[in-house]
Amino acid sequence: MTESTPPQAPGGQPASRKPAMSLEKAQKARRKFLQSLGLTVGVSGLSLLGYIPLSDARPARLRPPGALDEADFLSSCIKCGQCVQVCPVQAIKLADITDGFGIGVPYIAARDQACDFSCDAVQCILACPTGALTYKKPEFMDARDGMKMAAAPILLAKEKDAEPTLNLKERIGVARLARPESCLAIQGKGFKGQARGASFEGMLRYMKVDRWKPIPVRDYSYETEICDLCEQACPIKGAITVKKGLDKDGKPKGLPVVHEPCVGCGVCEMVCPVEPAAIVIDAQAPWKA
């Protein structure tokens, strides 16, 4: 048995082995790795805190009344939760880590609990310490097209008061008939009973019951030959109507129509008795005639 010989380089000379990484190069590589790791952690941390949006295919969140445009809102909101504490119907929630903008950013899930303006003065705006929610934007922030209200919205609960309007300059979204095929009005059907069933925990102010105090939706019974719950429950004058008439066969039917005074509060989506809701709120969407 012969001893193995080292590999030969061209010309018959033994091939040289790759030199070991010097201590200086090793330290440099380590520093580069740590810098990359730190940058990744830093960007992720800022994203979770809400300063840098994460790439996400989910639709825009419905923000509380008076919210600045999304980028300005996220940079101004300090996630203090004051808006949550003052909301009389607990419509405002705080996002968790799975929402893409971090813990503590306020939003409204209208299907679960809409903003019905039971506070009258929009207490969330009054409670906000930073101006992330505001009655009036600073002059250097222009209103986006379609977000500015043509006139101050009239709150039906205050329509006969000396000051019936809400001090809102911009809408937070717009209602849209997203599933006309499931709308009871379009089908010519009426509705009787609890809008969302006995287990639904949402609250709403019904003027026929108490103009000052919201009650559980499950405690209120509707009865209508052609479903118009979205119009009945809407707190803003002229924001939505159910146009009623006859179809080509002479049968009664209705068509929900959204109008410019719509502020995007989400009450229509909350009370819609079909599942999923036939009418929804497009958050942060502008009004289009």
Side-chain angles (χ1 to χ4, degrees), residues 64 203 260 281:
M203 304 281 289
E260 194 278 337
I281 298 298

Side-chain angles (χ1 to χ4, degrees), residues 1-255:
M1 181 179 295
T2 60
E3 295 183 358
S4 60
T5 58
Q8 300 291 310
Q13 299 297 325
S16 60
R17 294 183 178 180
K18 185 177 180 179
M21 181 182 292
S22 68
L23 179 59
E24 182 180 356
K25 289 184 177 180
Q27 290 176 337
K28 185 176 181 181
R30 182 172 180 273
R31 284 195 299 270
K32 187 175 182 180
F33 169 76
L34 291 176
Q35 288 172 350
S36 299
L37 179 62
L39 180 60
T40 301
V41 171
V43 171
S44 299
L46 288 173
S47 299
L48 293 176
L49 289 172
Y51 295 109
I52 301 176
L54 294 176
S55 177
D56 201 333
R58 281 172 288 193
R61 282 290 200 187
L62 185 64
R63 301 302 181 192
L68 298 175
D69 291 346
E70 189 71 355
D72 295 322
F73 176 75
L74 291 173
S75 61
S76 301
C77 175
I78 58 173
K79 295 84 180 172
C80 64
Q82 293 295 317
C83 54
V84 176
Q85 296 181 36
V86 299
C87 182
V89 293
Q90 299 181 342
I92 304 174
K93 310 295 182 185
L94 297 180
D96 60 31
I97 200 170
T98 64
D99 285 299
F101 286 108
I103 299 172
V105 182
Y107 71 97
I108 295 173
R111 185 62 171 162
D112 298 330
Q113 177 60 64
C115 167
D116 75 339
F117 300 108
S118 288
C119 58
D120 289 352
V122 194
Q123 298 296 326
C124 54
I125 296 178
L126 295 175
C128 181
T130 66
L133 306 178
T134 182
Y135 287 122
K136 184 179 180 180
K137 282 183 176 179
E139 293 182 359
F140 60 86
M141 291 184 179
D142 294 329
R144 289 188 293 125
D145 291 341
M147 300 304 287
K148 188 175 181 179
M149 307 292 299
I154 295 175
L155 189 63
L156 285 171
K158 299 172 61 180
E159 185 178 9
K160 297 180 180 180
D161 293 356
E163 179 48 68
T165 60
L166 284 171
N167 189 14
L168 286 180
K169 302 295 188 296
E170 296 183 25
R171 67 191 85 247
I172 57 176
V174 174
R176 174 174 59 89
L177 186 61
R179 302 177 182 89
E181 70 282 355
S182 63
C183 175
L184 296 182
I186 291 178
Q187 296 176 33
K189 295 180 180 179
F191 184 83
K192 183 177 181 179
Q194 300 161 310
R196 298 286 304 280
S199 62
F200 182 62
E201 298 181 352
M203 304 281 289
L204 187 61
R205 175 166 62 176
Y206 293 95
M207 288 181 290
K208 293 180 180 179
V209 179
D210 189 334
R211 65 171 288 205
W212 302 112
K213 183 179 179 181
I215 65 170
V217 174
R218 62 172 176 261
D219 289 348
Y220 188 86
S221 182
Y222 292 89
E223 185 172 359
T224 178
E225 293 183 1
I226 297 295
C227 183
D228 60 356
L229 270 60
C230 53
E231 179 180 348
Q232 284 194 48
C234 181
I236 304 298
K237 184 177 181 178
I240 184 169
T241 56
V242 176
K243 185 178 180 181
K244 297 177 181 178
L246 302 176
D247 64 14
K248 61 182 180 180
D249 297 323
K251 296 180 180 179
K253 62 182 299 184
L255 176 66

